[in-house]
Amino acid sequence: MLQLILGGARSGKSRLAEKLAAGSQLQVTYIATSQPLDGEMNERVAHHRARRPAEWALIEEPLELARVLRENASSERCLLVDCLTLWLTNLLMLDNLERLTAERDALLDCLASLPGEIIFVSNETGMGVVPLGELTRRYVDEAGWLHQALAERCQRVVLTVAGLPLTLKGTAL
């Protein structure tokens, strides 16, 4: 089963994804896409680590998400990817459109063949004002297109607001 958990900053999306992964009764592998490059991001990473069960495996991969999914997906495993918008940011910061396109397409193309359960977490950023800068507008556009394509392929899509899940597609939580 493929699930997409969307929400704003501090909406409870990661906590919900972790709850779903824990409830899957499968071995859980947490795939972290962040690159903690400053003190504030290090604090966020530490907060996430402290919440996770010690028995969960961890893979840190900022760019090659499709490869990691193909290598680790299993019918006995739940993969939790947190988060797609950080992954997208990492690719955008490379300033290489071909690489961004190749990695995004590889992700979308591999989903149908992956066994097991996969839970994606991502920030819903396109619900506010249009950003002023070119890079931030491109980020919002790319995230929106990615979310639409992923939601089309997922069996369940949930929007989390104020810690409350609103099921947009699939069986309600």
Side-chain angles (χ1 to χ4, degrees):
M1 178 179 203
L2 299 174
Q3 299 185 69
L4 174 61
I5 311 295
L6 298 166
R10 299 291 185 237
S11 64
K13 62 190 176 298
S14 292
R15 190 175 65 240
L16 173 62
E18 291 163 3
K19 180 180 174 184
L20 293 171
S24 72
Q25 305 303 313
L26 300 170
Q27 296 174 4
V28 177
T29 298
Y30 190 101
I31 301 171
T33 62
S34 70
Q35 297 185 87
L37 302 174
D38 60 41
E40 186 271 339
M41 195 59 171
N42 280 317
E43 289 177 20
R44 286 177 179 261
V45 169
H47 175 76
H48 277 256
R49 281 186 182 140
R51 257 195 346 229
R52 290 194 302 262
E55 66 271 11
W56 286 11
L58 171 65
I59 297 172
E60 295 176 331
E61 178 50 57
L63 299 171
E64 297 179 10
L65 186 53
R67 177 188 56 79
V68 167
L69 292 173
R70 284 190 307 269
E71 290 174 358
N72 292 278
S74 161
S75 59
E76 293 86 36
R77 187 173 296 134
C78 176
L79 302 178
L80 194 165
V81 178
D82 198 353
C83 96
L84 288 175
T85 42
L86 285 173
W87 171 72
L88 182 62
T89 298
N90 296 336
L91 289 167
L92 281 168
M93 296 311 291
L94 295 176
D95 197 24
N96 181 334
L97 180 60
E98 294 79 23
R99 177 78 185 270
L100 169 66
T101 301
E103 293 293 341
R104 183 194 59 226
D105 291 350
L107 171 65
L108 295 172
D109 291 346
C110 79
L111 295 177
S113 65
L114 297 175
E117 186 162 337
I118 303 172
I119 302 169
F120 295 99
V121 176
S122 199
N123 289 289
E124 184 52 69
T125 58
M127 297 174 82
V129 296
V130 176
L132 292 177
E134 179 184 347
L135 180 58
T136 52
R137 283 192 303 273
R138 184 166 171 224
Y139 165 79
V140 170
D141 289 347
E142 292 288 349
W145 293 324
L146 176 64
H147 292 161
Q148 289 180 55
L150 194 58
E152 190 176 288
R153 290 161 173 81
C154 286
Q155 289 78 38
R156 181 187 290 145
V157 179
V158 177
L159 177 65
T160 308
V161 179
L164 302 173
L166 173 63
T167 302
L168 304 175
K169 178 180 177 182
T171 57
L173 297 175

